[in-house]
Amino acid sequence: MTMLKRFEVTNFKQFKSLAWDFSKVRNYDFSMDCLIDSSHGKFVKTALVYGRNSSGKSNLGFALFDIVQHLVDKIKKPDAYIYYANADHPTEPVRFKYTFLLDGKEVVYSYSKTSSLDLLGESLFIDNEEVFLWDEIKKVHRFDRLSSFGFKNLNFVYKDSKLSFLRYLANNSPLSQDSPIRKLMNFVGSMLWFRRVDTGNSFMGLLSVSDHLDSFIISHGLTEKFEKFLNEHDVKEQIKVAKSPDGREGLYFAHKQSLPFFAAASSGTLALTVLFYWREALEMNKPSFIYMDKFDAFYHYEVAEKIFNLAKSLDIQCILTTHNTNLLKHANTRADCCFLLRNEIIKPFSDLTEREIREGNNLEKLFLSHEFEC
């Protein structure tokens, strides 16, 4: 089992300092499908993140996915990283620390940057043993332990601060299937962040190239399946493939006068289309970790619950940000898997109250009555 155990970030955007621990799990005996049960204990698998507008739910996702920007060649979102360091401390380094559990090994990867592209230092520890560490501020460069981890005869010259040594190590060394570094790179290369907003679809990670939604559906012969999916979610339309005046195949609503799907579809229907795309794409490209930002912004509450249950059915960690309190049912979730982000602090509901949470408690009512406060 591979998972993210803990994440820490300092001086990134609005976060002066924030830590998120996925291992703080209570002994509730309900909604166990929200957890990962491993030999190292239980961990949060499917999480709901709540917070007021501008609390940082989107920026938290960007912080988590900063690691994708410099370690792997996957789809990136550079506009999310233009304003990088905390505006009150713009000259101070931005620091990230990830603690992974990778098939029984605890791997801790830390790094600091001056911008999204410029590294100041990195370190890697496997089961508390240092693999390497370099820090330009402290003028420390420790690579002498690499041979004890099987990395011998490495001939490298540091060229510039934009080069990640971990990436260099992974790309220039023969790595066995059970190598923690190989597993780390595979995990990061399969992380996925996405959302649907009014300005269009947006995602990071997992794929090396992007694809038009209609091209994906048509080329994979999914038109009938897509129509059935929409019908099941109360969009009672027939869908067909037709050619536009310029000869390009696209999706259309099948009426007496055919309507171009993406020009005529409502925001909710487009949001469902994104969900369908990722549901099918995930079958072809297995993700390691998903962050769905504003996942239900355009969904009816019943549809949102279906999507949340779909997320729970995945055997990977899935984080969903939302304002939808209807999801706070113990049939859906549990207090240690629901998080409140406020004042640069993220904590599970279970840590924000003195009350003993029981299966019969109404989490939605407690949340709306401000029982859970950072």
Side-chain angles (χ1 to χ4, degrees):
M1 178 64 71
T2 61
M3 71 193 80
L4 180 62
K5 178 181 177 181
R6 183 179 172 87
F7 172 69
E8 300 171 52
V9 62
T10 303
N11 206 47
F12 178 77
K13 293 186 180 288
Q14 72 211 73
F15 302 122
K16 295 178 184 177
S17 180
L18 179 142
W20 194 357
D21 193 341
F22 295 94
S23 67
K24 297 192 71 175
V25 172
R26 301 296 181 95
N27 60 350
Y28 308 138
D29 59 359
F30 50 87
S31 296
M32 301 299 289
D33 53 354
C34 290
L35 302 180
I36 294 172
D37 194 354
S38 75
S39 58
H40 286 258
K42 294 181 174 66
F43 299 87
V44 174
K45 179 175 75 73
T46 313
L48 292 169
V49 177
Y50 291 85
R52 297 176 183 272
N53 292 335
S54 300
S55 61
K57 298 186 297 298
S58 294
N59 284 341
L60 178 59
F62 297 150
L64 273 166
F65 276 72
D66 185 88
I67 194 172
V68 174
Q69 307 301 305
H70 75 269
L71 278 189
V72 293
D73 290 322
K74 301 293 182 178
I75 295 294
K76 295 176 172 57
K77 187 175 171 56
D79 60 308
Y81 298 92
I82 295 173
Y83 299 103
Y84 198 69
N86 185 285
D88 291 327
H89 306 278
T91 61
E92 294 182 15
V94 183
R95 303 184 187 278
F96 300 87
K97 183 178 181 180
Y98 300 79
T99 302
F100 299 96
L101 285 178
L102 305 174
D103 294 330
K105 297 281 189 182
E106 184 172 280
V107 178
V108 180
Y109 177 53
S110 304
Y111 59 90
S112 58
K113 292 179 170 181
T114 55
S115 72
S116 63
L117 297 176
D118 295 292
L119 281 162
L120 280 174
E122 286 176 287
S123 68
L124 181 69
F125 288 76
I126 298 176
D127 285 340
N128 294 317
E129 290 190 65
E130 182 183 292
V131 181
F132 69 83
L133 182 151
W134 67 275
D135 188 321
E136 285 300 319
I137 295 177
K138 297 180 180 179
K139 303 301 179 184
V140 175
H141 298 83
R142 292 203 297 264
F143 302 105
D144 53 301
R145 291 186 51 81
L146 287 170
S147 59
S148 63
F149 288 89
F151 300 103
K152 299 179 180 179
N153 303 318
L154 276 172
N155 181 20
F156 68 92
V157 176
Y158 243 82
K159 294 182 179 179
D160 59 57
S161 61
K162 295 182 180 180
L163 177 65
S164 161
F165 182 73
L166 176 57
R167 179 169 179 160
Y168 169 85
L169 195 64
N171 291 341
N172 292 277
S173 306
L175 299 175
S176 64
Q177 291 291 333
D178 61 351
S179 164
I181 291 179
R182 180 175 186 147
K183 291 176 181 178
L184 171 58
M185 296 297 288
N186 287 342
F187 186 98
V188 174
S190 299
M191 292 171 67
L192 170 66
W193 172 97
F194 74 95
R195 72 179 174 199
R196 158 75 199 171
V197 294
D198 282 335
T199 53
N201 308 314
S202 183
F203 74 98
M204 282 187 285
L206 188 62
L207 305 178
S208 299
V209 294
S210 60
D211 196 359
H212 291 290
L213 300 186
D214 53 349
S215 299
F216 175 86
I217 292 169
I218 294 168
S219 64
H220 289 91
L222 297 171
T223 305
E224 290 185 13
K225 190 174 183 179
F226 176 53
E227 179 185 289
K228 182 180 178 181
F229 174 83
L230 291 179
N231 294 167
E232 289 173 348
H233 291 84
D234 299 324
V235 181
K236 306 300 184 182
E237 292 279 359
Q238 290 183 308
I239 306 297
K240 70 175 186 179
V241 178
K243 288 187 176 181
S244 62
D246 63 2
R248 180 180 177 272
E249 281 192 326
L251 296 176
Y252 287 77
F253 289 114
H255 294 279
K256 188 172 183 180
Q257 176 185 349
S258 297
L259 299 174
F261 180 86
F262 289 96
S266 68
S267 293
T269 301
L270 291 174
L272 285 171
T273 305
V274 175
L275 177 64
F276 177 82
Y277 168 80
W278 284 116
R279 191 184 75 169
E280 298 302 316
L282 297 185
E283 289 295 317
M284 305 173 195
N285 306 274
K286 299 295 184 183
S288 58
F289 181 99
I290 298 177
Y291 194 96
M292 296 173 63
D293 192 26
K294 302 181 177 75
F295 91 99
D296 56 351
F298 298 96
Y299 298 143
H300 184 271
Y301 70 90
E302 291 177 346
V303 175
E305 191 167 344
K306 288 182 181 179
I307 296 167
F308 181 55
N309 287 325
L310 173 63
K312 286 200 298 181
S313 71
L314 302 174
D315 61 355
I316 59 171
Q317 286 173 301
C318 189
I319 313 301
L320 304 94
T321 73
T322 182
H323 294 286
N324 184 353
T325 61
N326 183 68
L327 296 171
L328 294 175
K329 303 173 184 175
H330 276 142
N332 287 335
T333 187
R334 35 192 288 153
D336 52 359
C337 292
C338 298
F339 294 83
L340 180 63
L341 177 61
R342 188 177 181 186
N343 300 326
E344 301 177 37
I345 298 171
I346 186 164
K347 285 188 176 182
F349 287 5
S350 53
D351 284 4
L352 295 173
T353 180
E354 297 296 324
R355 182 190 298 265
E356 182 181 352
I357 301 295
R358 302 178 184 273
E359 187 172 5
N361 291 130
N362 186 323
L363 285 183
E364 181 180 23
K365 184 177 179 181
L366 292 173
F367 178 72
L368 294 175
S369 63
H370 304 287
E371 176 71 26
F372 312 116
E373 294 291 339
C374 288

Coordinates of all heavy atoms in Angstrom, one line a residue, residues 2-61:
T2 N 0.5 2.2 -0.9 CA 1.3 3.5 -0.9 C 0.3 4.6 -0.6 O -0.8 4.6 -1.0 CB 1.9 3.7 -2.3 OG1 0.8 3.7 -3.3 CG2 2.8 2.6 -2.7
M3 N 0.8 5.6 0.2 CA -0.1 6.6 0.6 C 0.8 7.8 1.1 O 2.0 7.7 1.4 CB -1.0 6.2 1.7 CG -0.3 5.9 3.0 SD -1.4 5.0 4.2 CE -1.1 3.3 3.6
L4 N 0.1 9.0 1.2 CA 0.7 10.1 1.9 C 0.3 10.1 3.3 O -0.9 10.1 3.6 CB 0.2 11.4 1.2 CG 0.7 12.7 1.7 CD1 2.2 12.9 1.6 CD2 0.0 13.9 1.0
K5 N 1.2 10.1 4.2 CA 1.0 10.0 5.6 C 0.9 11.4 6.3 O 0.0 11.7 7.1 CB 2.1 9.3 6.3 CG 2.0 9.2 7.8 CD 3.2 8.4 8.4 CE 3.1 8.4 10.0 NZ 4.2 7.6 10.6
R6 N 1.7 12.4 5.8 CA 1.7 13.7 6.4 C 2.3 14.7 5.4 O 3.2 14.3 4.6 CB 2.6 13.7 7.7 CG 2.7 15.0 8.4 CD 3.5 14.9 9.7 NE 3.7 16.2 10.3 CZ 2.9 16.7 11.2 NH1 1.8 16.1 11.6 NH2 3.2 17.9 11.8
F7 N 1.8 15.9 5.4 CA 2.3 17.0 4.5 C 2.5 18.2 5.3 O 1.6 18.6 6.2 CB 1.3 17.2 3.4 CG 1.6 18.4 2.6 CD1 2.6 18.4 1.7 CD2 0.8 19.5 2.7 CE1 2.9 19.5 1.0 CE2 1.0 20.7 1.9 CZ 2.1 20.6 1.0
E8 N 3.6 18.9 5.1 CA 3.9 20.2 5.8 C 4.3 21.2 4.7 O 5.1 20.9 3.8 CB 4.9 20.0 6.8 CG 4.6 19.0 7.9 CD 5.7 18.7 8.8 OE1 6.4 19.6 9.3 OE2 6.0 17.5 9.0
V9 N 3.9 22.5 4.9 CA 4.3 23.5 4.0 C 4.5 24.8 4.8 O 3.8 25.1 5.8 CB 3.3 23.7 2.9 CG1 1.9 24.2 3.5 CG2 3.8 24.7 1.9
T10 N 5.5 25.6 4.4 CA 5.9 26.8 5.1 C 6.1 27.9 4.1 O 6.7 27.7 3.1 CB 7.2 26.7 5.9 OG1 7.0 25.6 6.9 CG2 7.5 28.0 6.7
N11 N 5.4 29.1 4.3 CA 5.6 30.3 3.5 C 5.1 30.2 2.1 O 5.6 31.0 1.2 CB 7.1 30.7 3.5 CG 7.3 32.2 3.3 OD1 6.6 33.0 3.9 ND2 8.2 32.6 2.4
F12 N 4.1 29.3 1.8 CA 3.6 29.2 0.5 C 2.2 30.0 0.4 O 1.3 29.7 1.2 CB 3.3 27.7 0.2 CG 2.7 27.5 -1.2 CD1 3.4 27.6 -2.4 CD2 1.4 27.2 -1.3 CE1 2.8 27.4 -3.6 CE2 0.7 27.0 -2.5 CZ 1.5 27.1 -3.7
K13 N 2.1 30.9 -0.5 CA 0.9 31.7 -0.6 C 0.5 32.2 0.7 O 1.2 32.9 1.5 CB -0.1 30.9 -1.4 CG 0.2 30.7 -2.9 CD -0.9 30.0 -3.6 CE -0.5 29.7 -5.1 NZ -0.4 30.9 -5.9
Q14 N -0.8 31.9 1.2 CA -1.3 32.4 2.4 C -0.8 31.6 3.6 O -1.1 32.0 4.8 CB -2.8 32.5 2.4 CG -3.5 31.1 2.5 CD -4.8 31.1 1.7 OE1 -4.8 31.1 0.5 NE2 -5.9 31.1 2.5
F15 N -0.2 30.5 3.4 CA 0.2 29.6 4.5 C 1.6 30.0 5.1 O 2.6 29.7 4.4 CB 0.2 28.2 4.1 CG -1.2 27.7 3.5 CD1 -1.3 27.2 2.3 CD2 -2.3 27.8 4.3 CE1 -2.5 26.8 1.8 CE2 -3.5 27.4 3.8 CZ -3.7 26.9 2.6
K16 N 1.6 30.6 6.2 CA 2.9 30.8 6.9 C 3.5 29.4 7.4 O 4.7 29.2 7.3 CB 2.8 31.7 8.1 CG 2.4 33.2 7.6 CD 2.2 34.1 8.9 CE 1.7 35.4 8.4 NZ 1.4 36.3 9.6
S17 N 2.6 28.6 7.9 CA 3.0 27.3 8.3 C 1.7 26.4 8.5 O 0.8 26.8 9.1 CB 3.8 27.3 9.6 OG 4.1 26.0 10.0
L18 N 1.7 25.3 7.8 CA 0.6 24.4 7.9 C 1.1 22.9 7.9 O 2.0 22.6 7.1 CB -0.4 24.6 6.8 CG -1.6 23.8 6.7 CD1 -2.9 24.6 6.2 CD2 -1.4 22.6 5.7
A19 N 0.4 22.1 8.7 CA 0.7 20.6 8.7 C -0.6 19.9 8.6 O -1.6 20.2 9.3 CB 1.5 20.3 10.0
W20 N -0.6 18.8 7.8 CA -1.8 18.0 7.6 C -1.4 16.5 7.9 O -0.6 16.0 7.1 CB -2.3 18.2 6.2 CG -3.7 17.7 6.0 CD1 -4.5 17.0 6.9 CD2 -4.5 17.8 4.8 NE1 -5.7 16.7 6.3 CE2 -5.7 17.2 5.0 CE3 -4.2 18.3 3.5 CZ2 -6.7 17.1 4.1 CZ3 -5.2 18.3 2.6 CH2 -6.4 17.7 2.8
D21 N -2.0 16.0 8.9 CA -1.7 14.6 9.3 C -2.8 13.7 8.9 O -3.9 13.8 9.4 CB -1.4 14.6 10.8 CG -0.8 13.3 11.3 OD1 -0.8 12.3 10.6 OD2 -0.2 13.3 12.4
F22 N -2.5 12.7 8.1 CA -3.5 11.7 7.7 C -3.6 10.5 8.6 O -4.3 9.5 8.3 CB -3.3 11.3 6.2 CG -3.4 12.4 5.2 CD1 -2.4 13.1 4.8 CD2 -4.7 12.7 4.7 CE1 -2.5 14.2 3.9 CE2 -4.8 13.7 3.8 CZ -3.7 14.5 3.4
S23 N -2.8 10.5 9.6 CA -2.7 9.3 10.5 C -3.5 9.5 11.8 O -3.6 8.5 12.6 CB -1.3 9.0 10.8 OG -0.7 10.0 11.6
K24 N -4.1 10.6 12.0 CA -4.9 10.9 13.2 C -6.3 10.3 13.1 O -7.2 11.1 12.8 CB -4.9 12.4 13.6 CG -3.5 13.0 13.8 CD -3.6 14.3 14.4 CE -4.1 14.3 15.9 NZ -4.1 15.6 16.5
V25 N -6.4 9.0 13.3 CA -7.7 8.3 13.1 C -8.2 7.8 14.4 O -7.5 7.3 15.2 CB -7.5 7.2 12.1 CG1 -8.7 6.3 12.0 CG2 -7.1 7.7 10.7
R26 N -9.5 8.0 14.6 CA -10.1 7.6 15.9 C -10.6 6.1 15.7 O -10.6 5.6 14.6 CB -11.3 8.5 16.2 CG -10.9 9.9 16.4 CD -10.0 10.1 17.6 NE -9.6 11.5 17.8 CZ -10.3 12.3 18.7 NH1 -11.3 11.9 19.4 NH2 -9.9 13.6 18.8
N27 N -11.1 5.5 16.8 CA -11.5 4.1 16.8 C -13.0 4.0 16.5 O -13.7 3.1 17.1 CB -11.1 3.4 18.1 CG -11.7 4.1 19.3 OD1 -12.3 5.2 19.2 ND2 -11.6 3.4 20.4
Y28 N -13.6 4.9 15.7 CA -15.0 4.7 15.4 C -15.2 3.4 14.6 O -14.3 3.0 13.8 CB -15.5 5.9 14.5 CG -15.2 7.3 15.0 CD1 -14.8 8.3 14.1 CD2 -15.4 7.6 16.3 CE1 -14.5 9.6 14.6 CE2 -15.1 8.9 16.8 CZ -14.7 9.8 15.9 OH -14.4 11.1 16.4
D29 N -16.4 2.8 14.8 CA -16.6 1.5 14.1 C -17.6 1.6 13.0 O -18.3 0.7 12.6 CB -17.1 0.4 15.1 CG -18.4 0.8 15.8 OD1 -18.9 2.0 15.6 OD2 -18.9 0.1 16.7
F30 N -17.7 2.8 12.4 CA -18.6 3.0 11.3 C -17.9 3.8 10.2 O -16.8 4.3 10.4 CB -19.8 3.8 11.7 CG -19.5 5.1 12.5 CD1 -19.2 6.3 11.8 CD2 -19.5 5.1 13.9 CE1 -18.9 7.4 12.5 CE2 -19.2 6.2 14.6 CZ -18.9 7.4 13.9
S31 N -18.4 3.7 8.9 CA -17.8 4.4 7.7 C -16.4 4.0 7.6 O -15.5 4.8 7.3 CB -18.0 5.9 7.8 OG -19.4 6.2 7.8
M32 N -16.1 2.7 7.7 CA -14.7 2.2 7.6 C -14.2 2.4 6.2 O -13.0 2.3 6.0 CB -14.6 0.8 8.1 CG -15.1 0.6 9.6 SD -14.1 1.5 10.7 CE -12.5 0.6 10.6
D33 N -15.1 2.5 5.2 CA -14.6 2.6 3.8 C -14.0 4.0 3.6 O -13.5 4.2 2.5 CB -15.8 2.4 2.9 CG -17.0 3.3 3.1 OD1 -17.0 4.0 4.2 OD2 -17.9 3.2 2.3
C34 N -14.0 4.9 4.5 CA -13.2 6.1 4.4 C -11.8 6.0 4.8 O -11.0 7.0 4.7 CB -13.9 7.2 5.2 SG -15.5 7.7 4.6
L35 N -11.4 4.8 5.3 CA -10.0 4.6 5.8 C -9.2 3.6 5.0 O -9.8 2.8 4.3 CB -10.1 4.1 7.3 CG -10.8 5.0 8.3 CD1 -10.8 4.3 9.6 CD2 -10.2 6.4 8.4
I36 N -7.9 3.8 5.1 CA -7.0 2.7 4.6 C -6.5 2.0 5.9 O -6.1 2.6 6.8 CB -5.8 3.4 3.9 CG1 -6.2 4.1 2.6 CG2 -4.7 2.3 3.6 CD1 -5.1 4.8 2.0
D37 N -6.6 0.7 5.8 CA -6.2 -0.2 6.9 C -4.9 -0.9 6.5 O -5.0 -1.7 5.6 CB -7.3 -1.2 7.3 CG -7.0 -1.9 8.6 OD1 -5.9 -1.6 9.2 OD2 -7.9 -2.6 9.1
S38 N -3.8 -0.5 7.0 CA -2.5 -1.1 6.6 C -1.8 -1.7 7.8 O -2.2 -1.6 8.9 CB -1.6 0.0 6.0 OG -1.1 0.9 7.0
S39 N -0.6 -2.3 7.5 CA 0.2 -2.9 8.6 C 0.8 -1.8 9.5 O 1.2 -2.1 10.6 CB 1.3 -3.7 8.0 OG 2.1 -2.9 7.1
H40 N 0.8 -0.6 9.0 CA 1.3 0.6 9.8 C 0.1 1.3 10.6 O 0.4 2.3 11.3 CB 2.0 1.6 8.9 CG 3.3 1.2 8.5 ND1 4.5 1.6 9.0 CD2 3.7 0.3 7.5 CE1 5.5 1.1 8.4 NE2 5.1 0.2 7.5
G41 N -1.1 0.7 10.5 CA -2.2 1.3 11.1 C -3.3 1.8 10.1 O -3.2 1.6 8.9
K42 N -4.2 2.6 10.6 CA -5.3 3.1 9.8 C -5.0 4.6 9.4 O -4.4 5.3 10.2 CB -6.6 3.0 10.5 CG -7.1 1.6 10.7 CD -8.5 1.6 11.4 CE -9.1 0.2 11.5 NZ -8.3 -0.7 12.4
F43 N -5.3 5.0 8.2 CA -5.1 6.3 7.7 C -6.3 6.8 6.9 O -7.1 6.0 6.4 CB -3.9 6.3 6.8 CG -2.6 5.9 7.4 CD1 -2.3 4.5 7.5 CD2 -1.7 6.8 8.0 CE1 -1.1 4.1 8.1 CE2 -0.6 6.4 8.6 CZ -0.2 5.0 8.6
V44 N -6.4 8.1 6.9 CA -7.5 8.7 6.1 C -7.4 8.4 4.6 O -6.3 8.6 4.1 CB -7.5 10.3 6.3 CG1 -8.6 10.9 5.4 CG2 -7.8 10.6 7.8
K45 N -8.4 7.9 4.1 CA -8.4 7.5 2.6 C -9.3 8.5 1.8 O -8.8 9.1 0.8 CB -8.9 6.1 2.4 CG -9.0 5.7 0.9 CD -9.4 4.3 0.7 CE -10.9 4.0 0.9 NZ -11.7 4.6 -0.2
T46 N -10.5 8.8 2.3 CA -11.4 9.7 1.6 C -11.8 10.8 2.5 O -12.4 10.6 3.5 CB -12.7 8.9 1.1 OG1 -12.3 7.7 0.5 CG2 -13.5 9.8 0.1
A47 N -11.4 12.0 2.2 CA -11.5 13.2 3.1 C -12.4 14.3 2.4 O -12.3 14.5 1.2 CB -10.2 13.7 3.5
L48 N -13.2 14.9 3.3 CA -13.9 16.1 2.9 C -13.2 17.3 3.6 O -12.9 17.2 4.8 CB -15.3 16.0 3.3 CG -16.2 15.0 2.6 CD1 -17.6 14.9 3.3 CD2 -16.4 15.4 1.1
V49 N -13.0 18.4 2.8 CA -12.3 19.6 3.4 C -13.3 20.7 3.3 O -13.8 21.1 2.2 CB -11.0 19.9 2.6 CG1 -10.4 21.2 3.2 CG2 -10.0 18.8 2.8
Y50 N -13.6 21.3 4.4 CA -14.5 22.5 4.5 C -13.7 23.7 4.9 O -12.7 23.6 5.5 CB -15.6 22.2 5.5 CG -16.6 21.2 5.1 CD1 -16.4 19.8 5.4 CD2 -17.8 21.5 4.5 CE1 -17.3 18.8 5.0 CE2 -18.7 20.6 4.1 CZ -18.5 19.2 4.3 OH -19.4 18.3 4.0
G51 N -14.3 24.8 4.5 CA -13.6 26.1 4.9 C -14.4 27.2 4.2 O -15.0 27.1 3.1
R52 N -14.3 28.4 4.8 CA -15.0 29.6 4.2 C -14.3 29.9 2.9 O -13.2 29.5 2.6 CB -15.0 30.7 5.2 CG -15.7 30.5 6.5 CD -15.5 31.7 7.5 NE -16.2 31.4 8.7 CZ -17.5 31.7 9.0 NH1 -18.2 32.2 8.1 NH2 -18.0 31.4 10.2
N53 N -15.0 30.8 2.1 CA -14.3 31.3 0.9 C -13.0 32.0 1.3 O -13.0 32.7 2.3 CB -15.3 32.3 0.3 CG -16.5 31.7 -0.3 OD1 -16.5 30.5 -0.6 ND2 -17.6 32.5 -0.5
S54 N -12.0 31.8 0.5 CA -10.7 32.4 0.7 C -10.0 31.8 1.9 O -8.9 32.3 2.4 CB -10.7 33.9 0.9 OG -11.3 34.5 -0.3
S55 N -10.4 30.6 2.4 CA -9.7 30.0 3.5 C -8.5 29.3 3.1 O -7.6 28.9 3.9 CB -10.7 29.0 4.2 OG -11.1 28.0 3.4
G56 N -8.4 29.0 1.7 CA -7.2 28.4 1.2 C -7.3 26.9 0.7 O -6.4 26.2 0.5
K57 N -8.6 26.5 0.5 CA -8.8 25.1 0.0 C -8.1 24.9 -1.3 O -7.5 23.8 -1.5 CB -10.3 24.8 -0.1 CG -11.0 24.9 1.3 CD -12.5 24.5 1.2 CE -13.3 25.4 0.3 NZ -13.4 26.8 0.7
S58 N -8.2 25.8 -2.3 CA -7.5 25.6 -3.5 C -6.0 25.7 -3.4 O -5.3 24.9 -4.0 CB -8.0 26.7 -4.6 OG -9.4 26.5 -4.9
N59 N -5.6 26.7 -2.6 CA -4.1 26.8 -2.4 C -3.5 25.6 -1.7 O -2.3 25.3 -1.9 CB -3.8 28.1 -1.7 CG -4.0 29.3 -2.6 OD1 -3.9 29.3 -3.8 ND2 -4.1 30.5 -1.9
L60 N -4.3 25.0 -0.9 CA -3.8 23.8 -0.2 C -3.6 22.7 -1.2 O -2.5 22.0 -1.2 CB -4.8 23.3 0.8 CG -4.5 22.0 1.6 CD1 -3.2 22.1 2.3 CD2 -5.7 21.7 2.5
G61 N -4.4 22.6 -2.2 CA -4.2 21.6 -3.3 C -3.0 22.0 -4.1 O -2.2 21.1 -4.5

